[in-house]
């Protein structure tokens, strides 16, 4: 059996938490190839005679690991279905007779590797360490059903619907809808251009409305941001953007790109009142050469707190920038947002409550009506 053509891509990601201001970071280098298109997913569930059954050997999975390298070899020739507590993957074996001893299946937390021996040669059917979410590797079962290899993977979170087996751009955008619950996303950072391009990709992927505070501000002022800064100063521009953010804070299903170059509201620690209404992503360029240094840099940035950006929910560290890779940055941003929400499924509801209570600046310690005291420690933003 000839091996099925595949496309392989690699990128690196660094994830970390801060106990005082929970956040995640992603450190990515633009890949040489674009991220793969989503494999064709089928919701049909075939039930055939059980010919053979085996359980793969597994390594111990440490789910608190911070450093990850995501690789995916995409085989579009498979069927996938989500059965609530488990997901099923069906891979065609072709016309050749394959015995169970010729099959190797290895699953480890968020990874899956499947290989067969065909005509004496090893053929990889699928390889990824970026499954859509965590599985229970010790409960993985596989068997041969006619000309297909059937793999059943037990989900750690049965309430999370898997759009596909792997965390691709398409599966992320489909799966994010159930997690975000309509909450908006704000892209902040030092580059207006990067903010705009990443926000646009996210809006298109999610089916959200793209909004750009630079365009809105220039339309109202009828002059460019550069002219506004020269005429009125950066503080005035930041105040004007803050007014625009206030009007946008009650909107749902939007992706908002904000001003960069430290001119806007997001760069100022006292202008975040309305940014807390949605999930914020700080896209930050770095000269770090590896994941560990990028993670440490992100921690220092947040702990320093001198820039408003440090209040963001997640941080994405970029090693260089190429507009052609804006979609890759959007994918990394959505990936860490997904993991943040999965760590606290109540976050979207809290954002909604914050909006309904008037975005008074008491995030994340939201106070009931009449009990908000902006001067109290409990009411101050984290």
């Amino acid at each position: 059996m000839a091996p099925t053509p595949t496309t392989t891509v690699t990128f690196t990601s660094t994830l970390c938490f801060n106990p005082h201001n929970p956040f995640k970071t992603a450190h990515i280098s633009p890949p040489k190839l674009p991220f793969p298109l989503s494999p064709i997913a089928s919701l049909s569930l075939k039930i055939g005679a059980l010919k053979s059954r085996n359980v793969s050997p597994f390594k111990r999975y440490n789910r608190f690991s911070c450093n990850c390298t995501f690789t995916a070899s995409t085989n579009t020739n498979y069927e996938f279905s989500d059965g609530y507590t488990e997901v099923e993957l069906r891979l065609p074996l072709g016309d050749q007779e394959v015995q169970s001893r010729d099959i190797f299946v290895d699953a480890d937390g968020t990874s899956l590797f499947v290989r067969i021996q065909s005509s004496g040669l090893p053929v990889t059917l699928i390889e990824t360490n970026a499954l859509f979410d965590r599985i229970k590797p010790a409960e993985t079962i596989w068997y041969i059903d006619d000309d297909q290899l059937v793999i059943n993977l037990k989900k750690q979170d049965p309430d999370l619907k898997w759009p596909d087996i792997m965390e691709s751009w398409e599966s992320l955008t489909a799966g994010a809808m159930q997690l975000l619950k309509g909450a908006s996303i704000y892209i902040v950072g030092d580059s207006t251009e990067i903010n705009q391009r990443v926000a646009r990709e996210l809006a298109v992927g999610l089916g959200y409305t793209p909004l750009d505070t630079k365009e809105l501000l220039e339309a109202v002022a009828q002059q460019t941001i550069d002219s506004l800064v020269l005429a009125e100063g950066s503080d005035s521009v930041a105040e004007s953007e803050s007014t625009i953010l206030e009007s946008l804070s009650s909107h749902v299903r939007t992706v908002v790109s904000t001003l960069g170059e430290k001119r806007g509201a997001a760069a100022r620690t006292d202008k975040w009142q309305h940014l807390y209404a949605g999930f914020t992503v700080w896209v930050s360029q770095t000269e770090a050469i590896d994941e560990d240094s990028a993670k440490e840099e992100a921690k220092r940035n947040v702990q320093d707190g001198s820039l408003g950006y440090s209040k963001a929910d997640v941080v994405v560290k970029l090693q260089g920038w190429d507009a052609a890779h804006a979609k890759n940055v959007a994918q990394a941003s959505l990936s860490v947002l997904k993991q943040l929400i999965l760590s606290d499924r109540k976050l979207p509801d809290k954002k909604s409550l914050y909006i309904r209570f008037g975005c008074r600046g008491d995030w994340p310690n939201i106070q009931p009506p009449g009990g908000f005291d902006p001067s109290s420690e409990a009411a101050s933003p984290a």
Side-chain angles (χ1 to χ4, degrees):
M1 181 179 67
T4 305
T6 61
T7 300
T8 302
V9 297
T10 303
F11 72 95
T12 60
S13 173
T14 299
L15 309 178
C16 54
F17 288 93
N18 184 304
H20 301 294
N21 181 24
F23 76 102
K24 293 180 178 247
T25 68
H27 169 229
I28 65 174
S29 304
K32 296 180 180 179
L33 296 173
F35 279 83
L37 295 176
S38 173
I40 300 172
S42 170
L43 296 181
S44 62
L45 180 62
K46 294 184 179 179
I47 302 176
L50 185 68
K51 286 191 175 180
S52 64
R53 175 184 175 115
N54 200 351
V55 178
S56 328
F58 304 101
K59 305 170 187 175
R60 184 176 179 182
Y61 174 59
N62 175 12
R63 64 177 184 169
F64 297 102
S65 174
C66 285
N67 298 328
C68 309
T69 299
F70 294 123
T71 62
S73 176
T74 303
N75 179 352
T76 59
N77 188 22
Y78 66 73
E79 297 175 11
F80 173 77
S81 61
D82 185 328
Y84 183 59
T85 60
E86 64 183 30
V87 292
E88 181 182 85
L89 181 66
R90 286 178 169 261
L91 298 162
L93 297 175
D95 298 330
Q96 284 195 359
E97 188 70 24
V98 177
Q99 305 298 320
S100 59
R101 64 174 179 272
D102 299 323
I103 298 173
F104 175 76
V105 178
D106 187 18
D108 187 0
T110 57
S111 70
L112 177 65
F113 176 67
V114 182
R115 184 180 63 201
I116 65 170
Q117 285 289 124
S118 177
S119 302
L121 297 174
V123 176
T124 299
L125 297 185
I126 193 168
E127 179 182 8
T128 179
N129 66 351
L131 293 174
F132 188 75
D133 194 40
R134 298 187 308 275
I135 60 169
K136 300 176 181 179
E139 298 183 38
T140 297
I141 296 172
W142 62 264
Y143 58 89
I144 299 173
D145 179 16
D146 294 331
D147 60 347
Q148 292 183 317
L149 173 62
V150 183
I151 305 173
N152 291 104
L153 306 166
K154 292 288 185 181
K155 297 160 63 174
Q156 290 276 6
D157 182 359
D159 293 325
L160 181 64
K161 180 71 175 177
W162 287 32
D164 205 345
I165 187 68
M166 286 183 283
E167 192 188 67
S168 65
W169 171 245
E170 288 74 13
S171 64
L172 269 173
T173 51
M177 302 301 292
Q178 63 183 304
L179 296 173
L180 287 167
K181 297 182 180 179
S184 293
I185 299 173
Y186 296 85
I187 307 299
V188 305
D190 255 344
S191 171
T192 301
E193 179 203 352
I194 293 176
N195 297 347
Q196 289 172 326
R197 290 182 179 273
V198 174
R200 194 172 299 122
E201 292 290 349
L202 278 171
V204 171
L206 292 170
Y208 274 25
T209 301
L211 296 171
D212 184 344
T213 59
K214 177 178 182 289
E215 292 180 358
L216 292 171
L217 193 52
E218 289 180 341
V220 171
Q222 295 187 334
Q223 56 182 311
T224 66
I225 297 298
D226 289 338
S227 299
L228 279 171
V229 171
L230 286 174
E232 302 180 25
S234 294
D235 290 342
S236 177
V237 170
E239 189 65 41
S240 298
E241 187 186 29
S242 183
T243 302
I244 289 176
L245 290 170
E246 179 179 3
S247 68
L248 299 180
S249 63
S250 60
H251 290 218
V252 296
R253 297 181 182 87
T254 64
V255 183
V256 181
S257 59
T258 63
L259 289 174
E261 289 75 44
K262 296 185 177 62
R263 294 173 169 178
R268 289 157 169 78
T269 56
D270 61 340
K271 299 295 182 186
W272 269 69
Q273 178 178 345
H274 303 291
L275 284 165
Y276 291 133
F279 287 99
T280 47
V281 180
W282 177 12
V283 182
S284 172
Q285 291 183 281
T286 179
E287 295 182 0
I289 58 174
D290 55 40
E291 296 174 76
D292 289 338
S293 357
K295 180 179 66 175
E296 289 305 315
E297 180 184 283
K299 285 183 177 179
R300 289 195 303 270
N301 293 157
V302 170
Q303 290 166 358
D304 175 57
S306 59
L307 279 178
Y309 303 139
S310 64
K311 296 179 179 291
D313 293 307
V314 301
V315 181
V316 176
K317 286 290 182 181
L318 290 184
Q319 195 177 61
W321 166 249
D322 185 335
H325 297 300
K327 191 173 181 179
N328 299 343
V329 182
Q331 179 170 339
S333 302
L334 198 54
S335 177
V336 288
L337 274 177
K338 184 192 81 170
Q339 294 179 56
L340 175 69
I341 298 173
L342 287 176
S343 70
D344 183 356
R345 296 291 284 267
K346 295 180 180 179
L347 275 174
D349 295 326
K350 290 178 182 176
K351 295 285 186 182
S352 177
L353 184 65
Y354 178 75
I355 294 170
R356 293 202 302 273
F357 280 4
C359 298
R360 300 166 306 184
D362 55 344
W363 179 266
N365 304 306
I366 306 171
Q367 303 295 309
F372 172 63
D373 179 3
S375 64
S376 69
E377 183 178 351
S380 62

